[in-house]
Amino acid sequence: MPLNIYTHPDYASQKDLILSLVQGFHNEGQLLVKGSRNIIKINTLGNEKVNIKYFKRPNAMNSVVYSWLRPSKARRSFEYAQYLLEHNILTPFPIAYVEERTVTGLKESFYICRHIDYDFTFRELIHDPMFENRKVILEQFTEFTFKMHENRVNFLDHSPGNTLIVNKGNGQYDFYLIDLNRMKFEDMDTEARMDNFKKLWPSRAMVKIMADKYAELSNQPAEKLYAILMEKTLAFKKKITKKKYLKRKLKGKKK
C-alpha cells in the first residue's frame, strides 16, 4: 500500500523502522485497545516501547474530506500533541503519523507515540470515593485542566479514560492527555471552561473539590463555579441517560 510518513525530527532516521511496524500492524504487537473506530497496539521501536493507533478506513465522503478539507485524525493527533508539549501540557511524545492515500482520498492512517506506563486514569477516581489521595489528585488535575484552558486548549474528549495519571510519589502526580484528535484552540469564557469538565462524569463531592480549586486559580467565586459546573454535569448525565434509555427501548422493539 502507498504510505506517506511524517516524523518528529528526533525520529527522522527511523522512518524505515516505523513503516515496517505500520505494515506489520495487523499481525504483530500487543493489543492494548480494540474499539469500533480504532485499534491501539504496543510494539517496540529500537529500544523503546511505542503505541500505534490505527484509524479505520473512513467512508467515501469522509475520505474526500480528510484529503482536501480537513487533516486526518492521525495528523491532528500528531500536530495537537506537538502543540500541547510546546505549552508544557503532558501527552505521550509524538513520533510520527502515517497515511495511506490514493486518488480517491484517504484510506487508512496511523499515529505513533511513546508508550506511557501509567498508574491509573480519572475513571478510578469516580468509582472509588476512598481512592488514596483522591482530593489531592482532583486538585492537581484541576490545575492541569486550568493550564489547558489558559493555553487556549478546549479538549472536546475530556472524559474519564482520556487522562493517564502517573504517581510520582510524595503526593505529586503527572497527567497525560490521550486520544487527541478532537480539540479546539480558542479563548474560553467561564461557561465554556466549566462545560469542559462535564464529560468527566464527576459526583457532587468531586464537583465541589474541582470548583473550589478552579476558583482559587482563576480568582472567581467558588459558589459561582460550583453552580455552573453542577448544572453542566447534571444536564450531561441526564442527556446520556436518556439516550441510553431510548436506545434500549428501540432495541427491545426490534426483538
Side-chain angles (χ1 to χ4, degrees), residues 76-94 111 144-145 147-158 162-163 175-186 196:
R76 275 181 275 150
S77 298
F78 180 83
E79 293 179 347
Y80 293 172
Q82 289 181 311
Y83 180 93
L84 293 176
L85 293 177
E86 286 167 2
H87 292 83
N88 298 312
I89 300 166
L90 293 178
T91 189
F93 191 88
Y111 171 57
F144 173 72
T145 303
K147 183 196 285 189
M148 282 169 42
H149 295 163
E150 289 292 286
N151 284 283
R152 305 181 71 249
V153 177
N154 185 355
F155 182 33
L156 302 179
D157 282 331
H158 206 26
N162 285 344
T163 299
F175 304 87
Y176 291 79
L177 289 188
I178 60 169
D179 202 1
L180 306 181
N181 62 84
R182 293 186 67 241
M183 286 187 181
K184 289 183 180 179
F185 299 96
E186 59 188 3
N196 195 221

Side-chain angles (χ1 to χ4, degrees), residues 40-252:
I40 304 174
K41 286 188 173 182
I42 303 172
N43 213 320
T44 304
L45 178 64
N47 60 357
E48 64 182 342
K49 284 200 292 187
V50 299
N51 288 355
I52 306 174
K53 186 171 186 177
Y54 162 69
F55 296 95
K56 292 185 178 179
R57 185 173 300 211
N59 61 37
M61 180 179 292
N62 283 337
S63 178
V64 174
V65 168
Y66 289 142
S67 285
W68 306 106
L69 302 176
R70 192 179 186 197
S72 70
K73 292 180 180 180
R75 177 178 171 180
R76 275 181 275 150
S77 298
F78 180 83
E79 293 179 347
Y80 293 172
Q82 289 181 311
Y83 180 93
L84 293 176
L85 293 177
E86 286 167 2
H87 292 83
N88 298 312
I89 300 166
L90 293 178
T91 189
F93 191 88
I95 292 172
Y97 70 96
V98 177
E99 298 175 334
E100 179 195 2
R101 293 180 179 274
T102 68
V103 292
T104 60
L106 178 73
K107 301 305 178 187
E108 297 176 334
S109 59
F110 302 81
Y111 171 57
I112 303 94
C113 65
R114 289 179 189 161
H115 177 77
I116 297 292
D117 288 316
Y118 64 96
D119 295 297
F120 54 96
T121 69
F122 192 89
R123 184 174 286 113
E124 283 86 328
L125 303 178
I126 299 171
H127 296 307
D128 184 2
M130 303 304 294
F131 196 93
E132 185 178 3
N133 285 343
R134 187 175 187 242
K135 183 174 186 290
V136 171
I137 298 166
L138 287 171
E139 289 177 340
Q140 291 184 21
F141 175 81
T142 303
E143 290 185 60
F144 173 72
T145 303
F146 178 76
K147 183 196 285 189
M148 282 169 42
H149 295 163
E150 289 292 286
N151 284 283
R152 305 181 71 249
V153 177
N154 185 355
F155 182 33
L156 302 179
D157 282 331
H158 206 26
S159 56
N162 285 344
T163 299
L164 308 181
I165 305 175
V166 176
N167 186 348
K168 297 174 65 182
N170 298 317
Q172 296 297 313
Y173 299 85
D174 277 341
F175 304 87
Y176 291 79
L177 289 188
I178 60 169
D179 202 1
L180 306 181
N181 62 84
R182 293 186 67 241
M183 286 187 181
K184 289 183 180 179
F185 299 96
E186 59 188 3
D187 293 324
M188 302 170 68
D189 61 17
T190 300
E191 288 273 338
R193 290 178 181 222
M194 294 301 98
D195 189 72
N196 195 221
F197 283 95
K198 70 183 181 186
K199 290 184 180 179
L200 293 164
W201 209 269
S203 65
R204 285 182 180 271
M206 295 171 76
V207 168
K208 179 70 166 59
I209 294 168
M210 294 191 291
D212 284 351
K213 187 62 181 181
Y214 207 101
E216 175 190 322
L217 295 166
S218 61
N219 295 314
Q220 296 192 64
E223 298 79 6
K224 171 188 172 183
L225 298 190
Y226 175 81
I228 297 172
L229 181 48
M230 200 70 241
E231 179 187 0
K232 300 285 188 184
T233 299
L234 290 175
F236 179 72
K237 288 181 178 180
K238 184 177 179 180
K239 176 184 175 182
I240 297 301
T241 302
K242 182 179 180 181
K243 185 183 289 186
K244 287 181 178 179
Y245 169 76
L246 292 174
K247 189 174 181 179
R248 286 197 301 268
K249 193 173 180 180
L250 182 62
K251 190 175 182 181

